[in-house]
Amino acid sequence: MNEVTIVGGGLAGSEAAWQLADRGFTVRLLEMRPHTQTGAHRSENLGEIVCSNSFKSTLLDTASGLLKAEMDVLECRLLRVARDTAVPAGHALGIDRELFSAAVTDAIERHPNIELERREVESLDLPSPCILATGPLTGTRLSLAMREHCSSEHLYFYDAIAPSVDADSIDPAIGYWASRYGKGEADYLNIPLDEDDYSAMLRRIRDAEYVGSHDFEEEKYFEACLPVEVLAARGDDTLRFGPLKPRGLPDPRNGRDPHAVIQLRRESRTGSLMGMVGFQTRMTWACQKELLKSLPGMANVNILRYGTIHRNIFLDIPSLCDPYLRDRKRAGLYYAGQICGVEGYVESIASGIVVALSIAAQAAERDLPPIPENTMIGALLGYVHAPNNNFQPMNANMGIMPAIVPRPKKRKERKEAISRQAIAAMTDYRERNDWLFRTDAAARDFA
């Protein structure tokens, strides 16, 4: 029986472990928590979500919706868990963080082909094949070992987390429930800001005290997840044309879009825990408390989790790896998750599927059949491997997809056509390579 070692029990590592175990591999999954914690995690559970509880849109005319549809074709395990632990989030797939990570942990611990070890890995002295899925918060010693192996400096960027609050501590008379443009159910609590409210909020953001980065490091942030203070520094209207944009969210009390709007989304099935959408920050906790209590309807707000900032690392995959995420210098070493330059929860899970398929193909003494370039997964992996002198993490997005011919005139129709073509291509890929997806009897009994 084939054996695989996986370092890191996050989303990518858990998905890869489950995929390979279902194919009859003996998997040893190594996770350093709870013995060694990170600056962002709060529990010892596998697959813990730390920044947001959203797996983004499910609509097929969006990149994230298309990505999930392709992953369903490839029989993604964690998406099933996500749907089983979902909370109302309009057209997005929102999850109850605690239920999700607990369910992932339970599945991994019960799987007959997975052995879970709770210990920190400090070197690359590991048997092959091995998947490094340690995420952006890789332990210090292993990070140093990886830097030595890569013969180059790690790249990095800073990531910030938004505050979460007690829903019962918000004045219900101030806000209104709606989803942008009426898409999906009315699952977001919207707190409208008039021009004076917005200006006062900007002043507090700009005057606040902030937790600093290391003096020897340049602050780099991922553009899709910028702290509110960075956006506020770019101009007076940047926030209200960004995460606080009011378009498509008319106040039902007057029928007009407010000057700006703060959205809150459920993070638990009970609805008691709510996250502030797009409000990630590195403010000191005292300043966060002062700012939030100054907002309309939040004078008595109970902050259950403060916003924080942490340093993420990722590798220069174009110079380090061959397709698919396979190390050029060391046979049998693979990378998965955010450490390989895919940005986002679902993207990380997708990379775990790809690496699992690649190892399964190698075990069958074959190369992984090329993933179609006109699929979102294929395009994302194409970006990750393309030569790039300034490699930066990438979300799934329609901009990396090849043009479709003939080209529909309307943007929505173009996106829908791209998605139809991609899902058809991935379905054909799955059918043509059925040997990659066969499971063993023990895994079928477990499922």
Side-chain angles (χ1 to χ4, degrees), residues 403-434:
I404 191 166
V405 179
R407 185 176 185 267
K409 293 182 179 181
K410 294 183 178 180
R411 184 179 179 187
K412 181 178 175 61
E413 292 177 354
R414 287 199 299 273
K415 291 182 176 180
E416 290 174 344
I418 288 171
S419 292
R420 286 195 299 270
Q421 184 182 78
I423 294 170
M426 189 61 82
T427 301
D428 179 67
Y429 179 84
R430 166 69 177 80
E431 292 173 351
R432 286 187 292 106
N433 300 291
D434 185 64

Side-chain angles (χ1 to χ4, degrees), residues 32 120-124 132 134-150 152-156 311-315 339:
M32 68 180 185
E120 183 175 6
V121 173
E122 299 180 354
S123 76
L124 295 180
L132 290 183
T134 49
L137 301 173
T138 300
T140 302
R141 295 181 182 87
L142 182 57
S143 180
L144 291 172
M146 291 167 64
R147 185 171 67 181
E148 182 178 349
H149 169 75
C150 298
S152 64
E153 292 295 321
H154 281 347
L155 307 174
Y156 66 90
R311 180 180 184 271
N312 286 352
I313 68 168
F314 59 98
L315 299 171
I339 200 169

Side-chain angles (χ1 to χ4, degrees), residues 75 161 178:
E75 302 175 11
I161 298 173

Side-chain angles (χ1 to χ4, degrees), residues 10 28 166 171 178 202 220 223 229 265 312 409 426:
R28 184 172 60 140
D166 184 348
D171 183 354
L202 276 184
K220 302 179 187 177
E223 282 291 322
E229 56 268 17
R265 177 179 55 222
N312 286 352
K409 293 182 179 181
M426 189 61 82

Side-chain angles (χ1 to χ4, degrees), residues 381-393:
L381 270 293
Y383 167 85
V384 167
H385 286 288
N388 191 332
N389 293 327
N390 185 31
F391 181 62
Q392 294 294 316

